[in-house]
Amino acid sequence: MRPVLRFLSDELIEKIVGEAREILCKLGVEIHNKDILFMLGEHGAKVEMDRYHVFLTDEIIESALKAVPKSFKLYDVLGNETHHFSDYNVYFTPGSAALNILDYETNEIRKPKTTDYVRYVKVVSQLDNIASQSTAFIPADVCEKISDSYRLYLSFLYCEKPVVTGTFTMEAFNIMKEFQVIIRGSKEELKSKPLTIFSCCPTSPIKWSNVTSQNVVDCANFSIPVEFVSMPLSGFMAPVTLVGTLIQHTAETLSGVVISQFTNPGTPILYGGSPAIFDVRYETTPMGAVETMMIDCAYNEIGKYLGMPTQGYISLSDSKQLDAQAGLESGVGATLAALCGINNISGPGMLDFESCQSLEKLVLDNEICGMTIHLLKGIEPKEDFPSLPRFQELLKEQHLLISEHTRRYLNEEFYFPGVVIDRASRTRWQEEGSITLLERAHGEVERIIKNYVSSRLQDDTKKELTKLMTEEAHLYGMRNLPEHE
Amino acid sequence: MDILNKISEHLQLGDDEKVRIFTKEAIKAKISPKEILNNGLIFGMDIIGKKYKAHEIFLPDVLLAAKAMYAGMDLLRPMFIKGGIPTIGKVVIGTVQGDLHDIGKNLVGIMLKGAGFEVIDLGNDVSPSEFIEIAKKEDASVIGMSALLTTTMPFMKIVIDLLKEERLIGKIKTIIGGAPVTEEFAREIGADAFGYDSINAIEKVKGLTGMT
């Protein structure tokens, strides 16, 4: 039996959704995009164009909820299915999009470069428990105007896994979409085999900027899946209570569902978010706070109740180092998220309030993800009844280390983590050099990078992507792209 | 691939049936039993030991390989004059007095046999005098003692003190192990070696018997 954790009763979910719908209809939503306002107006919403305000109707919300797909699949660059966002299926994705990385050599948090990004992609391509890549951080050695598309370009070049990404500008969407059309061969093929998910973020409270709302529309027009990342801050830009925060999150996310489904009914979406409590002591937004995790798990229940697959920024840490706090917050988050069935769990590798990626943390988190995925298998009998023969064998042989039963189920019943997790006896650990977690993790990063095998994406396709990226760089005044092998 | 390689390869796969078949073939091909033993069976077990130490394989793989080794050794045994497999040393092992926990000790026994040692397993709850008497009688070069309880660990010291009394220190070496046992404790009581797991124990016994 798969273990499932719940925080909300159906009755409470209905009340929360009811309140959110009332907010959208009576207080409305601010959308700084006249085309969208016009579109919603045409469907019966009351629009106040001068203050970018629209009052939705129950019919509009209902119609959007009816159109939204209950599940969808993702495919890698080669066209192989990698994800089925449905029911309680769980997949892990590195946290994104950090401004910094934690440098192992100097132990300093610094701006990343292209070489750092390539190292990251090579690592994530080989982590078994992390199903997709994300454009996890922003290389600072290219001009800002291409920093979003450039990340995606490097990801496609070096790793086969599908990508969770996003645009920083409206202009960048085109090239980011074109990369995908090139890889798939046509718009139709891209529609039938989605390759990316774009994160689209409303602004609290209950607002959409021109850029992000246009991203939702652009993605919908090409049936590119989006994840809505609503970020209410409890006690600051949202009510202090978790239920109050959930009402706001529901309103903000439902408004995104409406924009998406009225642009193109059936566009795949993830009911996602990155809410947090606001720590009034430090003026920070702790992602590792247990209340933040509770909000994440709970909105996921609301998303499921409304019939949508879900996403969450959880299983990450606010610590600045790969320390006990980093393990604690990431481990608790991953476990809660998985038990609640958040379909796309975004977080591994991330530190410092979603602002810093660490490759060493990423390989550690890969083990957390592995253990968590194993946990979800629950406890099932495997030739355990009747048990008498097994115990007769045990009493006769005095151990079951090489019994048929052990050999058949050992690797299925146990999860054996890699060398990052220390399970040696103290003496053996000492004999092997008393290597710390950080050192083991770094060793693993270097081993993985050394073992990297090139993506099997066709060379011609890679060349085409490079041509497109180079032209885009020229457009914004960059003569050459940085070297990356 | 020659027959000895095949024996070694299938031993590493834990395939006792194949090891039996290829050992028979090797015997038929007039390869000397000593060569089959050293360059086929023990050679394969050495690789298994190294792989286990490097975390490449797990304990059940080692035990399966040992089982496959025994399958080959059973065929070789009658071929040696004086009816015995030549060994690289004789080790008396047991769990000390008052202690019934013998899982670790059993593993060490299996691994020692796999490495080519002759093992006399005294079982559990073994008195200090029994360790000494049997080691003397069998002309063993090493006594291996195991304990899981801190309350039974002092019996290890008694065995070593008895060896001193009988002036056998140096002639019969001692190795100790078990969950609460440490290198420091081994030094304190004058044990010659401490093994923190079964593979480590084998390496240490090889060291005590001049095999490494």
Side-chain angles (χ1 to χ4, degrees), chain A residues 208-225:
Chain A
W208 285 89
S209 71
N210 188 21
V211 174
T212 54
S213 58
Q214 187 59 44
N215 283 166
V216 176
V217 170
D218 290 340
C219 287
N221 281 330
F222 288 90
S223 296
I224 292 171

Side-chain angles (χ1 to χ4, degrees), chain A residues 397-404 406-407 410-411 416-417 419 423-432, chain B residues 14 52-55 58-61 63-64 67 102-103 106-107 110 182-183 194 196-197 200 204:
Chain A
E397 300 293 333
Q398 290 297 299
H399 68 82
L400 293 172
L401 278 163
I402 57 172
S403 88
E404 284 288 331
T406 305
R407 284 147 67 189
L410 180 68
N411 287 310
F416 291 105
V419 295
R423 286 188 182 170
S425 65
R426 178 161 53 89
T427 317
R428 181 167 181 171
W429 175 74
Q430 285 168 332
E431 254 190 30
E432 291 176 353
Chain B
Y52 181 59
K53 199 179 170 194
H55 310 280
F58 299 162
L59 188 57
D61 304 310
L63 298 181
L64 283 169
K67 194 179 168 203
D102 60 1
I103 296 169
N106 292 345
L107 279 177
I110 293 167
T182 62
E183 184 103 54
F194 159 70
Y196 58 77
D197 64 21
N200 183 249
K204 297 283 175 64

Side-chain angles (χ1 to χ4, degrees), chain A residues 25-51:
Chain A
C25 298
K26 292 193 174 157
L27 300 181
V29 52
E30 201 174 307
I31 304 174
H32 289 249
N33 185 308
K34 290 197 170 168
D35 291 342
I36 295 171
L37 291 173
F38 184 75
M39 172 185 76
L40 294 174
E42 286 217 311
H43 285 92
K46 186 183 151 202
V47 175
E48 292 177 4
M49 203 62 90
D50 53 334
R51 60 182 198 111

